[in-house]
């Protein structure tokens, strides 16, 4: 029987960052991954002169740990922050994309919001505080900001981040920072102003709103994290059990590993097979977590001419009834993603409100992509994309609904009942890459 200190299940960003941190602290770690490749949802492709991601394209440097991780990996991989011009965010309304206002004048002149709501928002600091701790993002946004701000700012933002339904996502769990602004300061505006004035340490200042990738694509981050970590890929049918003597037994194929700690980083739906010793009713508050499916389509154009839009991307409010949730413009954000003069786009479709899109054929998806290429990106009808790659993600983004409190309690109960077992990953602590890196650092520090 093999022995080690810590076994981590899953070689995605959470598993690899946790392993990297533990290794750095001098611990023995083994990562087990069921696929033949590492990276989980992160996967960079280089094809036909385009460098594209089938999973996440960009993260936000939302925690100091993101900066610290890249600093620790500086010899292997460099963080690339998005170009200044890509700060512009576009929202679809009517027949065009419009820039999301970034200052007072554009806020007054934008056609995205109604005149009534533009005046109404001035009263946000004095609006009554909500009383429902489980209020949805949609309800909170309409109550504080007005209907048009909800429809043309919050709804598309939620599509872009969660591929979710803002009327179902619970603010307290899905957007805790926003929830806390109202809960602690009575208003978003007053809270945001107070936050700016709060004293900050140098470490606090390492967390920013900057958008990141890695030079050459996120796969470089994965490879850098994995460099000195022992990883077994292709480990099928892993089973975890307590050995009754304070240790853990992790088995797959004809291998059994004895260890002190087990960290799972897999999706909630994968836990029952992995942890057969836990009764189903104890896992149920966790396994009922719904993951919105996403279809991501990477589209390359060799000669984009004057049709390139200097922006991060465009989001589509659900009210507009389009088939795409949004289109990112990675070649506007980062170097080398498309050949000189070309453009790379990442279309997102499906999500919580169109889970059925996952069943659409490649031909149907290709047609949806080409329709939006002409209608939304305004390419003339005689120009077709040079490259189209379709990626389907059945379990893309977990949706933090109002029952998340039960899930978090179940996780805490199980971790207490079974010392040495850690249930990590995106079933808790946020869905973005910044959240994953932050969680990994906390888990490593706790272990
Ligand atoms: C299409 C898409 C777009 C996204 N866009 C963004 C974005 O723009 N910005 C952002 O910040 N985040 C984005 N995300 C989210 C981001 O990708 C995730 O937060 C992050 O990559 C999750 O990392 P993880 O390690 O927690 O999970 P995963 O990457 O899912 O890794 C889990 C690993 O566990 C393995 N595994 C599963 N079951 C088992 C088992 N039984 N035994 C062994 N191994 C197992 C899996 O194969 C996988 O490798 C996006 C996600 C998707 C799908």
């Amino acid at each position: 029987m093999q022995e080690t200190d810590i076994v981590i299940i899953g070689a995605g960003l959470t598993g690899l960052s946790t392993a990297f941190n533990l290794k750095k602290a001098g611990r023995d770690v083994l990562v087990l991954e069921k696929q033949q490749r590492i990276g989980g949802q992160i996967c960079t492709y280089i094809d036909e002169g385009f460098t594209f991601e089938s999973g996440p394209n960009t993260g936000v440097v939302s925690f100091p740990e993101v900066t610290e991780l890249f600093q620790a990996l500086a010899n292997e991989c460099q963080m690339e922050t998005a170009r200044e011009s890509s700060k512009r965010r576009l929202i679809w309304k009517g027949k065009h994309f419009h820039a999301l206002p970034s200052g007072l004048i554009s806020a007054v002149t934008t056609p995205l919001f109604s005149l009534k709501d533009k005046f109404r928002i001035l009263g946000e600091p004095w609006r009554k505080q909500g009383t429902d701790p489980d209020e949805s993002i949609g309800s909170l946004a309409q109550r504080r900001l007005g209907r048009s701000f909800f429809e043309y700012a919050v709804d598309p933002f939620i599509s872009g981040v969660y591929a979710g339904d803002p009327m179902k996502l619970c603010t307290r769990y899905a957007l805790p920072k926003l929830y806390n602004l109202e809960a602690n300061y009575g208003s978003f505006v007053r809270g945001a102003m107070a936050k700016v004035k709060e004293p900050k340490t140098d470490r606090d200042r390492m967390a920013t709103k900057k958008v990141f990738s890695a030079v050459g694509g996120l796969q470089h981050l994965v490879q850098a994290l994995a460099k000195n970590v022992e990883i077994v890929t292709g480990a099928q049918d892993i089973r975890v059990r307590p050995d009754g003597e304070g240790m853990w037994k992790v088995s797959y194929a004809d291998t059994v590993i004895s260890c002190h700690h087990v960290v799972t980083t897999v999706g909630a739906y994968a836990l029952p097979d992995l942890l057969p010793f836990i009764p189903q009713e104890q896992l149920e508050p966790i396994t009922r977590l719904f993951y919105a499916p996403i279809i991501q389509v990477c589209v390359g154009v060799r000669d984009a001419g004057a049709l390139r839009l200097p922006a991060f991307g465009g989001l589509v409010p659900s009210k507009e009834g389009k088939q795409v949730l949004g289109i990112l413009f990675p070649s506007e954000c980062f170097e080398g993603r498309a050949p000189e003069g070309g453009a790379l786009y990442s279309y997102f479709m499906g999500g919580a409100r169109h889970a059925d899109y996952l069943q659409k054929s490649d031909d149907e998806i290709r047609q949806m992509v080409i329709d939006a290429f002409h209608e939304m990106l305004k390419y003339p009808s005689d120009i077709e994309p040079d490259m189209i790659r379709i990626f389907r993600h059945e379990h893309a983004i977990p949706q933090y609904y109002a029952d998340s409190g039960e899930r978090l309690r179940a996780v805490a109960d199980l971790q207490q009942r079974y010392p040495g077992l850690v249930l990590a990953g995106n079933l808790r602590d946020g869905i973005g890459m910044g959240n994953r890196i932050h969680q990994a650092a906390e888990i490593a520090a706790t272990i």
Side-chain angles (χ1 to χ4, degrees), residues 290-303:
F290 169 58
Y291 287 73
I294 292 183
I295 302 162
Q296 179 170 190
V297 188
C298 299
V299 175
V301 188
R302 286 189 196 293
D303 182 7

Side-chain angles (χ1 to χ4, degrees), residues 247-270:
M247 298 281 284
W248 289 89
K249 286 215 163 28
V250 182
S251 58
Y252 64 94
D254 47 11
T255 303
V256 181
I257 305 154
S258 173
C259 60
H260 297 100
H261 304 269
V262 177
V263 182
T264 73
T265 69
V266 306
Y269 48 87

